[in-house]
Amino acid sequence: NKTGYVRAMIGGNPTSNPTGLNHVTQIKRQPGSSFKPFLYGKLLEDGYTLASPLLDAPIVVDSGTAYEWRPLNDDTLFSGKFIPMIDALQNSKNLCAAYAIKHLTKPDSVVIFAHRLGINSQLNPYPSIVLGTSEVSPFEMARAVSVFSSEGYLAKPISIVKYGDKYKHEWWNEKIDTTRVLDSVICYQITYAMQTVVDSGTAKSVRRYYSYPAAGKTGTSQNHTDAWFVGFTPNLTTVIWIGFDDASKKLSGSYKYGGSAAAPIWAKMMAEIVRKIPAYYKSSFHKPDNVEIKETCVDYDTENIENCKVKRLIPFKKITEENYSGDQGK
């Protein structure tokens, strides 16, 4: 993170042709719900918060048209209630994401946001984009997600730092190239929410193998063709993708979900890295000075804050006379 240095790239498995397809850079697949952080990042940028209520209930988008869309949660269940954005991300509620794209923002806005963070592939501006229906490569997902862990900086990927000869002549030296593309407060808020995904959400399988600071998001594409996990520590961002070259072949059993298939691979890898380089990878995520974490009522059935039955710790941007700009509590 923050440098763009590519520490490792594995583009196949032991049975792959060593001179053949590099699955990191040369394939594009639907990222599924691992794309949701871009939706929620855009909402935070627009003034919403991790406590903003999203409806977990059946929804129809573009009803009566050729593009009519009736999304479902992965388990087909729903609460019928408003839940906070942080819960929607933690438990990967598809219906909440659909509610957000219909009522709170637009597909075009999410596309522009994702492109700004480093997604280079063409993204179709349909409401279903929030469930990761446009294809991307693992490489660009890693680059874009690392913006959240880099306090808002997009880094140019660097796989070769320099080259020269045995006489220490350097003919070429690659320089770190970063650009600020997102506010550090939003990055911390998304990181905070993605930590809950790992600690007690759809990627809690990570905690069986890795106990240090970590954040991430699982992804399972339509019809279980692809399983993803995008994960990061304060220093390293990694994307795990599982699938077949032939997209007509589907993942099955415990291998068809990002949380049960891809996330444990990431966790075991990180555990080995920490064992070998403990001083470098055990640091904590940096919290900006202008962020405060407050116990917040997320019980939307009561108007009396004193009788609130459901509270959560939520990170907010500190409001001062200098940075106050109107409606701060959407």
Side-chain angles (χ1 to χ4, degrees):
N1 301 332
K2 298 184 179 180
T3 66
Y5 289 157
V6 178
R7 295 297 189 187
M9 181 186 296
I10 301 176
N13 60 40
T15 64
S16 300
N17 183 340
T19 61
L21 185 67
N22 182 341
H23 295 75
V24 175
T25 60
Q26 294 178 304
I27 67 162
K28 291 186 179 182
R29 293 295 184 89
Q30 292 181 343
S33 290
S34 66
F35 192 84
K36 286 176 182 173
F38 303 121
L39 163 67
Y40 294 123
K42 176 55 182 171
L43 292 177
L44 292 172
E45 189 173 62
D46 287 346
Y48 295 93
T49 75
L50 290 176
S52 295
L54 304 176
L55 185 59
D56 177 30
I59 188 172
V60 180
V61 181
D62 293 332
S63 177
T65 71
Y67 303 102
E68 182 175 289
W69 181 47
R70 295 175 177 267
L72 297 170
N73 287 330
D74 183 67
D75 56 7
T76 72
L77 304 176
F78 57 90
S79 66
K81 298 180 179 181
F82 282 97
I83 65 174
M85 185 190 299
I86 190 171
D87 282 9
L89 181 57
Q90 176 181 331
N91 298 304
S92 200
K93 296 294 185 180
N94 293 341
L95 293 175
C96 292
Y99 174 87
I101 200 67
K102 181 176 181 178
H103 296 287
L104 307 184
T105 188
K106 297 179 179 179
D108 285 337
S109 298
V110 176
V111 167
I112 293 170
F113 183 87
H115 280 158
R116 187 184 356 135
L117 267 63
I119 296 293
N120 297 321
S121 295
Q122 177 180 336
L123 301 175
N124 299 318
Y126 305 137
S128 61
I129 190 177
V130 297
L131 303 188
T133 53
S134 286
E135 296 182 336
V136 297
S137 72
F139 191 78
E140 60 188 324
M141 281 293 285
R143 183 188 184 205
V145 170
S146 72
V147 170
F148 298 130
S149 53
S150 301
E151 299 177 53
Y153 286 93
L154 175 64
K156 174 185 176 182
I158 298 174
S159 55
I160 299 175
V161 177
K162 62 184 178 181
Y163 67 90
D165 60 21
K166 64 180 180 181
Y167 302 109
K168 298 184 179 181
H169 297 139
E170 290 187 8
W171 297 310
W172 178 77
N173 194 330
E174 183 69 85
K175 303 297 183 183
I176 294 174
D177 184 359
T178 62
T179 304
R180 167 79 74 153
V181 295
L182 191 60
D183 184 84
S184 62
V185 172
I186 295 172
C187 291
Y188 181 80
Q189 290 171 316
I190 288 292
T191 297
Y192 186 96
M194 292 175 73
Q195 285 180 274
T196 70
V197 174
V198 169
D199 291 337
S200 54
T202 57
K204 58 180 179 288
S205 59
V206 165
R207 290 309 185 199
R208 293 204 300 265
Y209 311 101
Y210 188 71
S211 60
Y212 299 107
K217 184 68 189 77
T218 56
T220 304
S221 65
Q222 298 180 91
N223 301 317
H224 303 290
T225 300
D226 311 272
W228 296 72
F229 182 69
V230 296
F232 56 89
T233 67
N235 301 304
L236 187 69
T237 297
T238 309
V239 168
I240 305 292
W241 167 82
I242 296 175
F244 292 99
D245 288 340
D246 181 355
S248 67
K249 293 183 178 181
K250 310 303 179 186
L251 301 171
S252 60
S254 62
Y255 290 99
K256 65 182 181 180
Y257 297 109
S260 57
I265 294 174
W266 182 92
K268 291 178 181 180
M269 178 201 73
M270 285 306 309
E272 183 69 6
I273 290 174
V274 167
R275 187 182 68 81
K276 293 181 177 179
I277 321 173
Y280 190 66
Y281 289 100
K282 289 185 180 179
S283 58
S284 300
F285 291 107
H286 175 257
K287 182 170 75 68
D289 293 337
N290 58 338
V291 168
E292 58 181 342
I293 300 177
K294 299 189 295 185
E295 189 175 59
T296 305
C297 179
V298 291
D299 179 7
Y300 305 115
D301 293 328
T302 179
E303 296 181 359
N304 188 342
I305 192 69
E306 295 180 357
N307 295 330
C308 182
K309 298 179 181 179
V310 185
K311 298 180 181 180
R312 286 206 62 165
L313 292 174
I314 303 287
F316 294 91
K317 185 174 184 177
K318 291 181 180 178
I319 304 301
T320 65
E321 291 184 0
E322 287 77 13
N323 66 28
Y324 181 77
S325 58
D327 184 2
Q328 298 289 325
K330 293 183 181 179

